[in-house]
Amino acid sequence: MKSCRADIGTGGRSDRSFGLRLLDLAESVRAGLFPARFSVWTPYLYLLPATLITGILAIGLAEMAETSLHVLNRATFRPDPAYTLANYAAVLSKPVYLRIMLKTGFAALLVTGFTLLLAFPYAYFLVRTPHARLRRFLLVALFLPFLLGQVIRAYGWLIVLGKQGLLNAALAAIGLGPVSLIYTYGGVVLGLVQYMLPFAVLLLAPALTAIPHEVELASHGLGATPWRTFRHIVLPLARPGLVAAGVVVFTLTVTDFAMPEIMGGGANDFIANAIYDAFFQLSDAGMGAALGIVLTLFASLIVALAFLLVGVATLGHGAQQDAGAGR
Amino acid sequence: MRRGRGLERLILAVVAFDLLFLALPTLVIVVASFTAGRIVAFPPEGFSLRWYQAILEKRAFVDAFLRSAYVATVCTLISLPAGTLAAIALARWRLRHALAWQLYLLLPFTIPLVVSGLGMILLFGRLGMLGMLWPVGLALTVINLPFMIWGVAACVNRLDPDLEAAAANLGAPPLHAFVTVTLPAVMPGIVTGGLLMFILAFNEFIVSLMLVDARTVTLPVLMYNSIRSTITPDLAALSVVYILIAAVTVWLLDRLVGLETFLRAR
């Protein structure tokens, strides 16, 4: 493992002088444009590009909010210029949207539960195994699917679960009838659990690394069974990691589009699919935008609750990493 | 003692299940891509490379692949400076309203992708930027930038501030100190973030689905359109291309940064 601290200034000798001269030139340009007395502004200069880029999103969100305040005029099929909250009233009262929200929320709970159950032992074993080679293998097995998009993985599941897929071929071999899992709610949940598993392990592993092995050994030495050590030492200390992983998996699932779209076959839509359809099939941008704003608020609320539970440091990337992780 | 064994066995059993569960879609795709038959079926009919030949001969696939590579390159080139500088600023200095900056820069993670995509359609449409390819790359930067910031910030937190102070003490002007001390020190984070940005953009689906049209369609969107009609083996061959790219990225991450870096306590 290499550390973040790299070797400094051991470049090729021959081109170093040229490189340094180039740097001198750049330095004088900088000194002209940005003299030392401006240096209090340096941090904000550093933040400027990212702030502008994220600003695109903020403006986009404002556009969505504006769009959500106009109902569709059914006569002209254009948004009505008058401002109204009618779209929000419709989103929160129409049974069709209520049903989709419940279905999505329930799926997110299932996916979060199953993912954490599968991810925790993997992360624990990954962190604690004394065999370096095994750890590398487990890491590669985790990263390879992590870097594959949802379309590819959903396609893989269609091959596994399809009528002439692997599962049904295996079932037929032992004399069992074909089962149909694609285009079902269960299939969507299955695909999502597999998609979320690497995210959860990668969020849990650093939290588990932070637990000193000595604490577990001490617990064991004092006569606690492994189960009790796990229950009373490991689990409580891993709580920030569990909350972070749970929140990320839950919000990613609640806002997911691709899995229900591809694995659900149109009959198992999530909120994101309803938003997309409102825009592109029903051409009712206002309704879609209202649904989108509601989803955004809900996702933000979940993240805010998590911040309150474990502190920003676990999810964010600030200077005082250890200060915020209140336990 | 027996109960302890039980826990150990349970952990091992779950790990074994996870390994199979994680690998299954990838494995079936690889197997299916070598079929000689016209449909995806198990067990596959014979062995052939015909579907690999088929995707190379299909102009639409090659074009979409090149577009995805272009979009991913644009996304990475914008993210590298923007994310690196932001991460250094956030992790290095005690900013006023640091929490507000952090929350603002995490917006891409709290706003659902569908909403981000639709918001950008509305904005880009107003600016006359729809139908072009580079704005798609920009959009993918917008939604994934926190990954870049996160990758670099993890390294800046480990950077010893005394190093930069020493450089200044020895007479290095700000830019010299930045290029010769700060940048090399956070390079592993920049590499991690850059690789993540590239592969995420190469795979991105939902925001791309909204921003591209028939002339600018990228590979994941094209694959989705094909899946909706029929599940043919040529898509398996295309997926193998993605699996290879992911494998190369994992290898690069391991060589340049070390995969175990991701296990470290932050």
Side-chain angles (χ1 to χ4, degrees):
Chain A
M1 181 172 84
K2 286 161 200 118
S3 94
C4 272
R5 208 167 293 144
D7 297 324
I8 293 158
T10 48
R13 214 161 252 284
S14 55
D15 53 15
R16 249 190 89 172
S17 61
F18 175 71
L20 278 181
R21 260 187 291 154
L22 206 65
L23 193 55
D24 285 334
L25 184 72
E27 189 82 54
S28 52
V29 172
R30 179 209 56 84
L33 290 173
F34 196 76
R37 65 189 142 82
F38 288 176
S39 67
V40 273
W41 297 106
T42 311
Y44 299 99
L45 194 70
Y46 276 36
L47 283 170
L48 186 66
T51 304
L52 291 177
I53 288 169
T54 309
I56 295 175
L57 205 57
I59 299 172
L61 192 64
E63 293 256 8
M64 284 288 278
E66 210 275 338
T67 307
S68 73
L69 296 174
H70 300 284
V71 289
L72 182 72
N73 186 328
R74 298 266 163 206
T76 60
F77 257 88
R78 298 189 64 83
D80 200 87
Y83 286 94
T84 163
L85 288 173
N87 284 325
Y88 289 94
V91 162
L92 298 175
S93 65
K94 273 195 180 175
V96 56
Y97 289 127
L98 207 64
R99 201 162 51 235
I100 289 180
M101 282 184 218
L102 285 177
K103 256 185 141 177
T104 312
F106 186 61
L109 284 177
L110 284 178
V111 171
T112 309
F114 282 128
T115 306
L116 289 182
L117 278 177
L118 292 176
F120 198 91
Y122 198 95
Y124 184 81
F125 191 67
L126 188 61
V127 167
R128 286 283 185 255
T129 180
H131 309 291
R133 284 196 161 190
L134 183 58
R135 177 158 37 240
R136 274 175 75 82
F137 172 72
L138 291 172
L139 276 167
V140 171
L142 194 68
F143 268 89
L144 195 64
F146 181 57
L147 298 179
L148 289 174
Q150 285 202 53
V151 178
I152 312 279
R153 287 207 248 169
Y155 174 68
W157 281 116
L158 291 182
I159 300 180
V160 175
L161 305 175
K163 272 202 196 80
Q164 290 172 301
L166 183 64
L167 182 70
N168 278 325
L171 284 177
I174 54 171
L176 289 173
V179 293
S180 182
L181 264 171
I182 55 170
Y183 309 145
T184 64
Y185 193 66
V188 177
V189 169
L190 180 89
L192 278 167
V193 171
Q194 201 261 359
Y195 182 73
M196 300 299 168
L197 191 53
F199 282 97
V201 173
L202 288 174
L203 283 161
L204 277 171
L208 292 177
T209 306
I211 303 174
H213 198 196
E214 290 78 8
V215 185
E216 285 173 61
L217 294 177
S219 163
H220 185 68
L222 291 169
T225 62
W227 281 103
R228 282 193 69 183
T229 305
F230 177 76
R231 170 83 182 69
H232 295 287
I233 306 286
V234 182
L235 217 49
L237 286 175
R239 204 179 67 117
L242 276 169
V243 172
V247 165
V248 169
V249 171
F250 187 87
T251 46
L252 283 179
T253 305
V254 127
T255 60
D256 196 68
F257 174 86
M259 274 301 164
E261 185 73 15
I262 300 171
M263 296 280 288
N268 297 282
D269 282 357
F270 279 13
I271 301 171
N273 309 82
I275 296 171
Y276 185 88
D277 288 349
F279 259 81
F280 296 103
Q281 318 248 287
L282 312 174
S283 299
D284 192 346
M287 183 67 87
L291 205 50
I293 297 291
V294 169
L295 181 60
T296 308
L297 289 176
F298 180 64
S300 308
L301 189 75
I302 300 288
V303 176
L305 281 177
F307 277 152
L308 289 179
L309 268 175
V310 294
V312 184
T314 319
L315 300 170
H317 21 54
Q320 305 113 301
Q321 288 290 304
D322 38 6
R327 238 158 270 159
Chain B
M1 238 15 240
R2 262 191 63 241
R3 283 155 55 108
R5 285 274 167 70
L7 182 65
E8 218 165 80
R9 276 197 199 134
L10 181 65
I11 290 176
L12 282 176
V14 175
V15 171
F17 175 82
D18 283 350
L19 283 171
L20 182 70
F21 189 48
L22 285 169
L24 199 56
T26 318
L27 290 177
V28 291
I29 285 172
V30 174
V31 171
S33 74
F34 289 114
T35 183
R38 299 174 138 275
I39 54 159
V40 176
F42 275 85
E45 289 174 50
F47 175 91
S48 88
L49 293 174
R50 64 182 279 203
W51 296 108
Y52 288 92
Q53 197 186 349
I55 58 169
L56 283 175
E57 283 167 1
K58 197 158 173 184
R59 191 60 198 280
F61 285 156
V62 177
D63 285 350
F65 175 85
L66 293 176
R67 275 187 222 111
S68 276
Y70 172 79
V71 162
T73 308
V74 170
C75 166
T76 312
L77 288 181
I78 304 174
S79 314
L80 280 174
T84 304
L85 291 176
I88 292 175
L90 281 179
R92 198 74 187 66
W93 291 299
R94 283 176 184 276
L95 296 167
R96 271 207 278 168
H97 313 300
L99 182 63
W101 280 106
Q102 283 194 36
L103 290 180
Y104 174 74
L105 291 174
L106 274 175
L107 266 186
F109 279 4
T110 48
I111 301 178
L113 286 177
V114 197
V115 177
S116 305
L118 291 171
M120 284 190 278
I121 284 196
L122 296 173
L123 179 65
F124 288 3
R126 193 168 289 207
L127 299 173
M129 277 157 61
L130 289 177
M132 287 186 279
L133 202 51
W134 70 264
V136 181
L138 177 65
L140 302 190
T141 308
V142 171
I143 58 166
N144 286 328
L145 194 61
F147 280 111
M148 182 78 214
I149 299 180
W150 165 79
V152 179
C155 260
V156 186
N157 281 325
R158 251 169 284 276
L159 166 66
D160 188 349
D162 288 346
L163 275 179
E164 284 170 338
N169 249 344
L170 291 167
L175 197 62
H176 278 72
F178 181 80
V179 172
T180 58
V181 177
T182 315
L183 267 192
V186 299
M187 197 46 88
I190 298 178
V191 170
T192 307
L195 284 172
L196 279 181
M197 293 305 286
F198 187 85
I199 193 132
L200 287 173
F202 213 91
N203 277 284
E204 209 286 331
F205 165 61
I206 167 70
V207 171
S208 309
L209 173 70
M210 294 189 238
L211 290 176
V212 301
D213 56 30
R215 285 164 300 128
T216 55
V217 66
T218 52
L219 198 50
V221 179
L222 188 68
M223 289 182 68
Y224 161 75
N225 290 337
S226 312
I227 289 175
R228 291 222 300 184
S229 47
T230 46
I231 303 176
T232 46
D234 54 351
L235 290 182
L238 264 184
S239 303
V240 171
V241 174
Y242 268 106
I243 293 168
L244 286 177
I245 293 173
V248 170
T249 310
V250 172
W251 182 77
L252 279 174
L253 267 180
D254 195 36
R255 281 299 302 273
L256 299 173
V257 194
L259 290 181
E260 302 208 359
T261 320
F262 294 88
L263 299 182
R264 266 198 317 231
R266 276 187 286 275

